[in-house]
Amino acid sequence: MKILILGGDGYLGWPTAMHFSQLGHQVAVVDNYLRRKLCLENSVEPLFPVPNLLERITIWREHTELDILPFIGDLQDWDFVEKTFKSFTPEVVIHYAEQPSAPFSMMNRQAASLTISNNIGVTANVIFAVKEFCPTAHIIKLGTMGEYGTPNIDIEEGWIDIEHKGRTDRFLYPRQAGSLYHTTKVMDTDLLWFYVRTWGLRVTDLMQGPVYGLHTDETDIDHSLFPFFNYDEIFGTVLNRFIVQAVAGYPLTVYGKGGQTRGYLNIKDTLQCVRLAAENPVDQGELRILNQFTETFSVNDLAEKVKNAGLNFGLNVSIKRIENPRKEAEEHYYNPAHSGFKKLGLKPNLLTEDVLNSMLETVIKYKSGIAFHKMFRGHKWS
Ligand code: USQ
């Protein structure tokens, strides 16, 4: 397949590009280095420096003799979008090209504005480009489990049947996101659903939970192929942060009561899910929504797991409940469905002690890169 990966420099985009390239697909990546720029501006660079996209492609070619085609530019710029889609004409478009951080979106007006214009503007351009240059291409869009929020009823897989005054119909499952970032993903879903109905596009919208890890079959070929590994309060996700905190001897930063529960997955399973979605396309005029996670944990569960795994390395890990900078339920019901990927054949890589050990082992190697001032600044969401 000809696969265009938007956001191909990112935490998930680059491992996804290598994964499809290794499988023998023709892969092109697009990025404008927004994530790198925002990290630099906010002094929250990842644990270790990561070569730029062109350098990574060269390293990949040296190891595998496989080529990945780069397009460096901004997908909000229609001229660039047109040039990219005309020269590559993809069969599959994988769309990760968004400002990915909930805390960043809540920092201030400029950050909020950037998140809105980038995320919704890029999604709209992708839709317009597919309609114009490759109308049968399958769009695989990375949404988030956070679109649903934490309702007091079971979360279904994208849709819900509602009976009202004796009549029934099927609707998008109610969305009530907890941050502006998550809200832009709700808006993406609405845009995609509108154009699926109007133009008959074919779309898979993946509701992904927080991802952890940095090891995949391809990143393990050479450590310079590792993805960004952020451990700061803005771009780091919770388990990656806890692993770095454990190694640094910094008390694990559990926000509030720590009962916040989410559906988590290993980075290897992000690649598996996106591959399964690409290999099993939907029909024209269909919006398929899949909940993309493998297990649910509370923040307290994760902290306990990291504390216990730390003992294997002689780390004396402590846990500190700190005032929650976010506005979120700290104790809540959470029972989301996730049978779609199981039916497509997903074999989960669960959060075992071995997985925690290998993350700890790798972070210990890069321990000298840990900067305490990046761990917690207490940006309040209110
Ligand atoms: N948390 C802590 N301590 C920390 C960091 C986070 O207790 O030091 C808590 C948060 O308050 C939250 C939970 O851990 O309740 C998850 O936080 P997170 O930072 O790992 O994840 P989140 O901000 O929700 O966003 C991440 C990704 C985002 C993706 C989302 C999936 O950055 O791109 O869409 O996970 S989900 O959470 O299901 O919406």
Side-chain angles (χ1 to χ4, degrees), residues 108-121:
N108 52 43
R109 186 185 56 77
Q110 287 93 326
S113 244
L114 181 151
T115 305
I116 293 170
S117 55
N118 183 82
N119 293 6
I120 300 165

Side-chain angles (χ1 to χ4, degrees), residues 209-345:
V211 181
Y212 57 83
L214 72 175
H215 290 282
T216 73
D217 290 348
E218 293 79 23
T219 63
D220 286 348
I221 294 173
D222 181 331
H223 284 194
S224 57
L225 296 172
F226 271 160
F228 299 119
F229 196 76
N230 279 88
Y231 59 95
D232 59 275
E233 170 187 331
I234 304 173
F235 287 99
T237 48
V238 62
L239 183 56
N240 291 352
R241 272 167 68 65
F242 283 180
I243 295 283
V244 174
Q245 291 170 352
V247 170
Y250 191 100
L252 308 190
T253 52
V254 169
Y255 293 166
K257 293 181 184 154
Q260 304 91 310
T261 304
R262 304 284 183 268
Y264 290 84
L265 73 164
N266 189 311
I267 189 168
K268 287 183 177 171
D269 290 338
T270 296
L271 307 193
Q272 215 190 141
C273 287
V274 172
R275 176 180 62 74
L276 287 168
E279 287 173 353
N280 298 278
V282 287
D283 292 333
Q284 294 289 149
E286 189 184 337
L287 170 64
R288 169 176 59 183
I289 299 175
L290 296 166
N291 292 348
Q292 185 164 316
F293 66 93
T294 57
E295 345 173 50
T296 56
F297 299 109
S298 69
V299 175
N300 286 330
D301 294 336
L302 294 177
E304 284 303 324
K305 278 179 180 291
V306 172
K307 183 181 159 95
N308 291 334
L311 295 175
N312 301 328
F313 295 83
L315 299 169
N316 183 15
V317 180
S318 63
I319 299 174
K320 191 172 175 194
R321 296 208 164 72
I322 53 180
E323 191 192 338
N324 195 342
R326 306 187 179 194
K327 223 171 164 183
E328 62 184 354
E330 294 173 3
E331 286 169 319
H332 57 89
Y333 180 76
Y334 201 62
N335 187 27
H338 60 127
S339 59
F341 271 119
K342 278 189 204 143
K343 284 187 197 135
L344 290 178

Side-chain angles (χ1 to χ4, degrees), residues 47 231 243-245 247-248 363 366-372 375:
L47 181 60
Y231 59 95
I243 295 283
V244 174
Q245 291 170 352
V247 170
V363 171
Y366 291 100
K367 188 178 172 186
S368 62
I370 302 174
F372 269 47
M375 294 288 190

